[in-house]
Amino acid sequence: MSESNKENGENPLDIDSNNFNSEMYLECLMKLATLKQVMDKEAEIVKQSQFLQSEMQTLVYENYNKFISATETVRKMRSDFQIMQEEMNKLSENINKITSFSSQISDSLKESGTNVNRLCSTRQLLDKLQFLFLLPSQLNKAISENRYADAVHDYAHAQRVLQKYGNQPSFQSIQSECSEIIFGLKKTLRDRLTDPDTSASELAESVGLLRQLQETDTSLQDIFLSCAESRLDQHLKGLSILVERTDILEWVEKCNNTLLADLGIVISCYHEIFQDKDNTNLPEFGEKVMSQVFQLFEEVVKRPENNGTEILIRGLDKFFRKLQAMSEIISSDTVSQKALDVVIQCVRHKASLQYQSIQSQFKDSLMRVRQTLASKGTESVDLRDILNSLQVYLLQKIQASLLDLKAFLQNNLSFGLKPWCAKAVADSCWTVISETLISLSDMVKKMACLKTSNNIPFELLLILAKLCLELQENGVTTLHNHLIKLLEEAAPGLTVDNKDTNSVMVHLSTAAQSALDSEVVYIGQTAAQMLRVSVLARDWLRAPEPRGPRAVCRRVVETLASADSAASQLFPTSVKPSSDSSRRTIWSRAPSSFSPINRIFSERIEVFSPAGADRGALSNGALKVALKALVECVRLRTFGKHGLQQLQVDVHFLQQRLSCMGNDERLLNALLEDALASAQLRCVDPQLMEPSIVDIICERG
């Protein structure tokens, strides 16, 4: 009881408590309440008293009724129990009578029961004997109706009786006949195994029946797998025909639903039938079949119709999912590893196609550039624009190929986020970059080697050389960073090894050097050939008085100027031209300055040294080749007075025109000085003209 209830129970003023004091309650009420409240309280108490009195009467009446009902129930139960007691006594007497009658019947039927049991056993024996006599006909009937399982069951059931009574002459014929029938049944089941039209369930049933007919598991395993192999060969032939007729999606769907599905059923039946925990033959069998499947898949992938990235990836994803399931069924690490190799090979195949496409398209672009240069010439074509367009085109093609290969790393693919797949994609992307740039380098080297025979414009060599140099400086690094960014977007957190960019840069640098050297040699040899022909074909001993520089000198200047103009568009200039006063000083020297002694102590000129990536270096390289040829040809001729003076005019003209192109004036003057000095030594009357007269003749010419 709570504290409040306890207080109410002990309060003498609480009308509902046990300690209620009426006098105190009235005294308190008279003191505190008004007359109206006292009257209301009186009325309330009278009403509650009447209600309680009514409730009390109701309860008394209800209890009285219950008491009367209970009395009647007891009286009725007393009479019912008497009737039940009488019935139970009668039942006991009847049971005793039945027991006595049952014992009497058992005693009278004991002998008859023994006879019945003997007759039943005899009946069972006769049924068995009848089954044995009818067994051959039943076996033949079951076999003819293709109920092989019933035939085997009947034979196995009869074997116990035949083994027990087979020595008796009456059963020997039955046993021999049944053996012949079962021998034929075994042959039928084996033929059924070798039939390629037999389904997998029928195959399993045949093997199970042969096991019941006491065939060894080892022989049955070999038969089962050889028969399964012949059935799978039919699927392989059908898939081989489909290689040339369908795309990769249809082929993979057909392969998954036919060959691989049947292979899974065969393996499941093998496990269910033989319970071979060691799986001695199964992995080898599965690997043999799957190797042929992989070979066909490689042929499908190489079909031109399947070169599209989307269709290739969808087909590869379906095939890889099935291969993962098959590798678990076959329990072969070889098949599991080959499944990974299939994905990697597809990535590499796609990369190879991308590389070949880039190479072919870039060659077409070069062919168009070559035709443009051949038709318009250097003066009307902006070589820098051609270079930029080629570079942008090549980089865009490579970046598009990388983005295409990135599709192999999609999240919804079964192999998309695998580390080994990401590594294969990274390696293939870098292969596209490196192989494309190395192929470009090799192509440039080849063009540089075949410059003369293929009639390649020298401007194209300059463009390719500059392209290789810019790719070496910025392109390789840009592509490498772009590749790393793509891989991070496709597979966040994946670590990809940095690729060796140095080897690619070395190839590009070597190719650029080859192209520059070839261009320099070509321009120099072109000018040298002009000078060589003009010197060797002229009779310098009987030459007339000079009237002006020869036409060949103008053509040489035009050739070298054209090459210099092309180089100026692509390469920077680092050599500053000399002043006009220095250009005229060498022709006022005394003849003694051209003596052989001075040439011995002069600086040695390396004619065929590597060309530098600079406008002045390229011009000087061609200049050395051309003027060195002039020097050597001059040494082979004999000059008269006017012939020497004509050469003096030609040399002065070349010195004036070539020095304006930014050539190294020391080199130019040294070669021209050597040519004129050699002519003086070969002249019968070495008399040079005054420099002022030479200037007038050159200006007039």
Side-chain angles (χ1 to χ4, degrees), residues 186-239:
K186 289 182 179 180
K187 185 176 183 303
T188 302
L189 292 175
R190 288 194 181 94
D191 294 339
R192 191 184 186 191
L193 289 175
T194 57
D195 187 2
D197 296 331
T198 305
S199 64
S201 59
E202 293 175 344
L203 197 66
E205 180 187 14
S206 300
V207 173
L209 294 177
L210 287 172
R211 292 186 72 191
Q212 294 180 29
L213 295 175
Q214 306 303 318
E215 288 287 340
T216 60
D217 282 352
T218 304
S219 61
L220 287 177
Q221 288 175 5
D222 296 337
I223 295 173
F224 181 84
L225 293 179
S226 62
C227 296
E229 184 177 0
S230 63
R231 295 181 65 254
L232 294 175
D233 284 341
Q234 298 296 324
H235 292 307
L236 287 171
K237 291 178 181 178
L239 292 174

Side-chain angles (χ1 to χ4, degrees), residues 602-629:
S602 63
E603 184 179 355
R604 184 172 180 267
I605 298 175
E606 188 68 33
V607 178
F608 294 100
S609 59
D614 178 81
R615 173 191 176 185
L618 295 174
S619 298
N620 290 331
L623 182 70
K624 287 189 291 184
V625 175
L627 297 185
K628 188 64 176 178

